[in-house]
């Protein structure tokens, strides 16, 4: 539908449902209200409203049609999902060392009891990619993001159909636990933290990133203590608390240990990434 007029647009942007979703887009994607409004309008007109004539759309907006209201909400979810998926793909294409520069967002997943678990968008995309078909990946992604009711509404599923799909997805995850462990492992998270942190320190030392070594040490005390315990630093307290006045020999010994652990973390992650690729890429090529 390309002939929406200014009057209809004015009705739409003044509708409380639209304004609520507009503000949600702005807050989530860190946009101005005007930019969020334009993003939402463009997405709605291009994808959600193209089945209506201009007259039909005007009448539905005037009536505050419930289905149209849901279309606006799902459009907002589409925008947010697309944004984070793009960032997730960017993160996958970039070297693990650069992941700290990628803001992939945090999603709160809720279970039936109302308990929530935080997960990064990047991690969620990795988990979803392990399922074997596009239909299952869509179902799991929507269920985790939006919950049962919205998933049933969007995918037009009955409760019985939803429960069957959920059982199948759960069964698959159980049978292929090793694949999912690759992308949810606490060990992997730890290696990512070590690599990203040490790359940050390396950038500070080489002057490609603003900052001070002592500030980095203060922010990574536990990691620093671990590095000191395996290093050849003689006066560890000096390195830990007074970097600038520590001896050059101890500074060099500490940096040498950092480089060693940086290399080990990078090697571990490269092996892990290859394993994830082998487990997940074949799934992406399967058809329904």
């Amino acid at each position: 539908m390309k002939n929406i007029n200014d009057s209809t647009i004015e009705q739409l942007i003044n509708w409380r449902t639209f304004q609520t979703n507009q503000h949600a887009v702005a807050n989530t994607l860190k946009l101005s209200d005007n930019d969020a409004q334009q993003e939402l309008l463009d997405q709605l007109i291009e994808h959600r409203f193209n089945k209506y004539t201009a007259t039909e759309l005007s009448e539905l907006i005037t009536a505050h049609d419930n289905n149209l209201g849901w279309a606006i909400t799902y459009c907002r979810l589409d925008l947010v999902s697309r944004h984070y998926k793009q960032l997730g793909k960017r993160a996958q294409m970039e070297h693990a060392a650069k992941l700290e520069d990628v803001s992939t967002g945090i999603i709160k997943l809720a279970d039936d009891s109302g308990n929530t678990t935080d997960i990064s968008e990047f991690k969620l995309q990795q988990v979803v990619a392990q399922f074997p078909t596009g239909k299952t990946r869509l179902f799991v992604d929507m269920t985790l993001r939006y919950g049962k009711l919205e998933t049933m509404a969007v995918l037009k599923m009955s409760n019985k159909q939803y429960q069957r799909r959920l059982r199948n997805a759960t069964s698959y995850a159980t049978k292929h636990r090793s694949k999912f462990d690759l992308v949810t492992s606490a060990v992997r998270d730890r290696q990512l933290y070590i690599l990203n942190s040490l790359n940050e320190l390396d950038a500070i030392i080489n002057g490609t990133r603003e900052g001070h070594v002592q500030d980095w040490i203060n922010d990574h005390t536990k990691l620093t203590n671990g590095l000191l315990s395996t290093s050849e630093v003689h006066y560890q307290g000096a390195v830990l608390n007074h970097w600038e006045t520590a001896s050059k020999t101890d500074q060099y010994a500490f940096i040498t240990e950092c480089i060693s652990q940086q290399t080990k973390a990078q090697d571990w992650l490269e092996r892990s990434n290859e394993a994830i690729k082998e487990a997940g890429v074949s799934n992406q090529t399967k058809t329904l």
Side-chain angles (χ1 to χ4, degrees):
M1 186 205 63
K2 300 180 180 179
N3 298 320
I4 183 171
N5 57 45
D6 291 342
S7 175
T8 302
I9 290 178
E10 188 69 22
Q11 282 182 291
L12 177 62
I13 63 178
N14 286 326
W15 186 5
R16 184 174 179 179
T17 297
F18 181 91
Q19 292 178 348
T20 298
N21 283 282
Q22 172 189 322
H23 294 323
V25 169
N27 291 336
T28 303
L29 303 187
K30 304 298 187 292
L31 299 175
S32 69
D33 270 352
N34 286 338
D35 287 342
Q37 180 184 102
Q38 193 59 53
E39 288 284 343
L40 194 55
L41 277 174
D42 290 346
Q43 185 77 0
L44 283 168
I45 293 171
E46 185 175 351
H47 297 290
R48 293 283 176 172
F49 289 169
N50 51 15
K51 64 181 179 180
Y52 302 113
T53 66
T55 300
E56 288 173 338
L57 183 62
S58 178
E59 291 174 350
L60 290 171
I61 294 173
T62 300
H64 290 175
D65 180 77
N66 187 55
N67 289 329
L68 198 68
W70 276 110
I72 295 171
T73 298
Y74 291 132
C75 181
R76 184 256 299 175
L77 297 174
D78 288 343
L79 271 176
V80 172
S81 177
R82 184 181 67 183
H83 170 79
Y84 284 135
K85 283 180 179 178
Q86 288 171 344
L87 289 176
K89 289 177 182 177
R90 174 187 160 198
Q92 288 178 312
M93 289 186 292
E94 293 186 353
H95 192 277
K98 299 179 181 179
L99 284 178
E100 76 273 14
D101 294 325
V102 182
S103 174
T104 54
I106 298 295
I107 300 172
K108 288 188 178 295
L109 306 180
D111 61 21
D112 292 337
S113 300
N115 301 313
T116 60
T117 301
D118 289 348
I119 184 172
S120 70
E121 175 72 23
F122 180 53
K123 179 67 67 63
L124 176 61
Q125 288 303 304
Q126 287 185 310
V127 171
V128 170
Q130 304 311 308
F131 286 93
T133 67
K135 182 181 291 186
T136 302
R137 289 192 289 273
L138 175 62
F139 171 78
V140 172
D141 188 277
M142 291 203 64
T143 295
L144 291 175
R145 290 173 190 278
Y146 311 133
K148 175 181 176 179
L149 294 180
E150 290 194 16
T151 301
M152 289 173 59
V154 173
L155 300 182
K156 297 180 173 59
M157 303 170 67
S158 67
N159 182 65
K160 185 176 181 179
Q161 290 172 322
Y162 178 88
Q163 293 299 335
R164 183 174 66 250
R165 293 283 295 279
L166 183 62
R167 285 195 302 272
N168 290 342
T170 302
S171 176
Y172 182 87
T174 301
K175 291 179 181 178
H176 299 84
R177 176 72 179 271
S178 60
K179 293 203 319 179
F180 291 90
D181 285 346
L182 287 171
V183 297
T184 58
S185 169
V187 176
R188 179 179 172 83
D189 289 343
R190 176 65 180 172
Q191 293 299 322
L192 273 172
Y193 164 72
I194 291 173
L195 182 59
N196 289 338
S197 298
L198 292 178
N199 281 341
E200 179 185 343
L201 176 61
D202 181 69
I204 292 172
I205 292 173
N206 290 313
T208 57
R209 181 179 181 134
E210 293 185 2
H212 301 282
V213 174
Q214 187 63 58
D215 291 337
W216 182 93
I217 290 173
N218 293 341
D219 290 338
H220 302 83
T221 303
K222 187 174 181 179
L223 175 57
T224 301
N225 280 323
L227 294 165
L228 287 171
S229 69
T230 55
S231 73
E232 296 184 3
V233 173
H234 291 95
Y235 299 101
Q236 297 183 3
V239 169
L240 183 63
N241 300 307
H242 308 286
W243 172 261
E244 294 297 333
T245 60
S247 70
K248 295 299 180 184
T249 300
D250 278 351
Q251 287 184 353
Y252 179 77
F254 179 71
I255 292 172
T256 299
E257 182 62 24
C258 288
I259 293 172
S260 174
Q261 295 302 321
Q262 183 183 33
T263 301
K264 289 179 180 179
Q266 182 170 315
D267 288 344
W268 190 97
L269 284 163
E270 286 176 353
R271 292 195 302 272
S272 176
N273 287 339
E274 186 60 31
I276 291 171
K277 182 179 179 181
E278 291 175 0
V281 168
S282 61
N283 285 340
Q284 297 285 4
T285 61
K286 290 181 181 179
T287 56
L288 303 181

